[in-house]
Amino acid sequence: MNHSNNKSDNGSDHGSKKILQIENLTKTYGKGTSKTEALKGITFDVLEGEFLGIMGASGSGKTTLLNCIATMLRPTSGRIILTGQDISGFRGGSLADYRGRKIGYLFQEFELLDNLTARENILLPLCLHGVAAGKAQEEVRALAELLDIAPVLDKFPSQMSGGQKQRIAAARALISDPDILLCDEPTGALDSRNSKILMDRLGDINKRRRKTILLVTHDANAASYCSRILFIQDGGIFHELRRSETETTADFYGRIVTVMAQLGGGSANVL
């Protein structure tokens, strides 16, 4: 097994600073004989500007991990540190600020409000946090161009395709310029064509804007856009892959599929 503090294939971490630190994180459900350990002391860092994938079978703990980072769940023990701040101490206004400004969250099922236009859905997080929507119109236009959603900005969700809905949801998650974008199976409700369009756009946002992205997925095609992947099994890190600077998406996809096959077989001796 490769541990998460190894250097990348080209021997460099580019000197980037740590934007997110997960330290010995555990999450336990239930008590006594019905106790389930969803996370078993996971530790890893995410570097600024990184595109990190988290993969694993259903029930492996990857969604629990993401929900702890998003503060939807409270971990049993361990620490989550974003931009130097331990989020476990956040309460009230500081917690709302973290959820509204520090992180963006892209859901599998879009979670758009049907009675709002695309533009209104995108601007909603700013309205909820007292930011004047007028100031954000230029950012809406920039995100619309980057995500190829300008033609549907004044349409309602019922008038959009699934792919358009998810790209609107991505713009909503990015409108407040969060420190990190959390993506929970964002291609899960999309066909292959729209999945590729979404991942191409997220890849562009990662490269052009240096936006840090944490992607939870079971889709090897989506994961092949990442620069590094952590494979989770039974609540712990099973293996890590890092994409080299010269490696094609197709070659990285091949390595991902190989590890997934080993993961399914329960082998700890991968690559």
Side-chain angles (χ1 to χ4, degrees):
M1 173 176 137
N2 287 357
H3 294 285
S4 58
N5 58 358
N6 288 352
K7 292 295 182 184
S8 61
D9 295 340
N10 58 12
S12 170
D13 61 9
H14 307 292
S16 296
K17 68 179 182 181
K18 297 171 184 176
I19 195 167
L20 178 67
Q21 296 161 268
I22 307 298
E23 298 181 353
N24 199 30
L25 205 68
T26 71
K27 178 62 180 177
T28 302
Y29 296 102
K31 294 180 180 179
T33 56
S34 63
K35 187 169 75 171
T36 301
E37 291 182 282
L39 298 176
K40 301 176 181 177
I42 284 184
T43 296
F44 65 91
D45 299 326
V46 182
L47 301 180
E48 188 174 46
E50 188 171 21
F51 197 156
L52 177 67
I54 305 286
M55 300 192 78
S58 178
S60 61
K62 61 185 188 299
T63 299
T64 296
L65 172 64
L66 194 71
N67 287 338
C68 285
I69 297 170
T71 69
M72 294 179 188
L73 288 175
R74 185 175 292 277
T76 303
S77 65
R79 297 204 303 165
I80 300 169
I81 301 169
L82 184 72
T83 60
Q85 292 184 292
D86 185 344
I87 72 171
S88 64
F90 290 169
R91 299 288 187 277
S94 60
L95 183 59
D97 185 65
Y98 172 80
R99 290 172 174 165
R101 301 175 190 271
K102 297 292 187 180
I103 61 169
Y105 201 103
L106 186 56
F107 300 88
Q108 178 176 336
E109 296 290 344
F110 324 135
E111 305 297 339
L112 300 178
L113 295 181
D114 292 334
N115 61 333
L116 298 182
T117 65
R119 188 189 308 275
E120 290 166 342
N121 267 286
I122 293 168
L123 289 169
L124 185 61
L126 300 184
C127 297
L128 293 174
H129 290 87
V131 178
K135 294 180 179 179
Q137 291 297 341
E138 186 57 42
E139 179 64 3
V140 171
R141 283 191 286 271
L143 286 170
E145 183 178 343
L146 198 54
L147 290 161
D148 193 22
I149 51 175
V152 298
L153 282 179
D154 296 312
K155 293 184 178 182
F156 292 93
S158 62
Q159 299 170 302
M160 303 175 205
S161 70
Q164 289 168 334
K165 289 179 187 177
Q166 192 59 300
R167 297 199 299 280
I168 293 294
R172 180 187 57 191
L174 291 163
I175 190 66
S176 58
D177 192 26
D179 292 321
I180 189 168
L181 177 63
L182 307 177
C183 303
D184 185 10
E185 302 276 12
T187 62
L190 303 180
D191 59 28
S192 58
R193 176 181 170 274
N194 278 300
S195 293
K196 184 180 188 306
I197 292 171
L198 176 69
M199 294 311 302
D200 282 342
R201 298 300 185 269
L202 290 179
D204 286 345
I205 286 165
N206 171 250
K207 291 183 178 70
R208 293 189 201 177
R209 295 196 167 196
R210 291 284 294 164
K211 183 61 63 183
T212 308
I213 301 176
L214 179 60
L215 169 76
V216 164
T217 185
H218 67 276
D219 180 356
N221 281 306
S224 67
Y225 286 80
C226 298
S227 53
R228 179 166 65 109
I229 299 172
L230 297 178
F231 294 85
I232 308 268
Q233 184 179 52
D234 300 329
I237 295 176
F238 167 82
H239 188 68
E240 178 188 58
L241 283 182
R242 290 178 183 254
R243 181 173 174 173
S244 70
E245 291 182 348
T246 58
E247 191 171 17
T248 66
T249 301
D251 287 342
F252 194 42
Y253 170 84
R255 289 207 290 144
I256 293 166
V257 171
T258 299
V259 176
M260 287 176 68
Q262 298 276 4
L263 190 65
S267 170
N269 302 306
V270 183
L271 303 186

